[in-house]
């Protein structure tokens, strides 16, 4: 993991960070990590599972259809000949 040093942080910003961290029940360092992570993560990011669930709701799949989709082939994988 990378290490980041922030120099010349105003005292009032540091106090606000400490207060915010206490309100969230974490250390100041953990609070800064959470703030940075939230600031840089893409907006409107959709996870594949959420997208698939939305498609299923849109199609109004029955419980039987969902059960068929969830069936998995539990047999051992076959070797692949790449030559």
């Amino acid at each position: 993991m990378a290490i980041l040093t922030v120099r010349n942080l105003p005292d009032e910003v540091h106090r606000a960070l400490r207060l915010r961290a206490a309100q969230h029940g974490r250390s100041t360092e953990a609070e800064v990590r959470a703030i940075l992570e939230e600031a840089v993560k893409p907006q409107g990011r959709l996870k594949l599972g959420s997208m698939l669930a939305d498609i299923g709701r849109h199609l109004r799949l029955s419980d039987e259809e969902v059960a068929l989709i969830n069936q998995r082939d539990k047999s051992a994988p076959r070797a692949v000949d790449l030559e």
Side-chain angles (χ1 to χ4, degrees), residues 32-61:
V32 170
R33 280 193 300 269
I35 291 168
L36 289 172
E37 185 177 340
E38 184 63 32
V40 299
K41 110 174 128 175
Q43 296 297 317
R45 188 175 113 197
L46 184 63
K47 295 183 179 177
L48 181 58
S50 299
M51 185 184 297
L52 293 173
D54 287 343
I55 291 169
R57 280 190 290 278
H58 178 74
L59 295 175
R60 295 188 176 116
L61 295 177

Side-chain angles (χ1 to χ4, degrees), residues 61-80:
L61 295 177
S62 68
D63 289 343
E64 293 80 20
E65 291 168 321
V66 171
L68 285 172
I69 292 170
N70 287 329
Q71 286 181 351
R72 291 190 168 86
D73 181 3
K74 296 182 181 178
S75 61
R78 294 174 297 181
V80 177

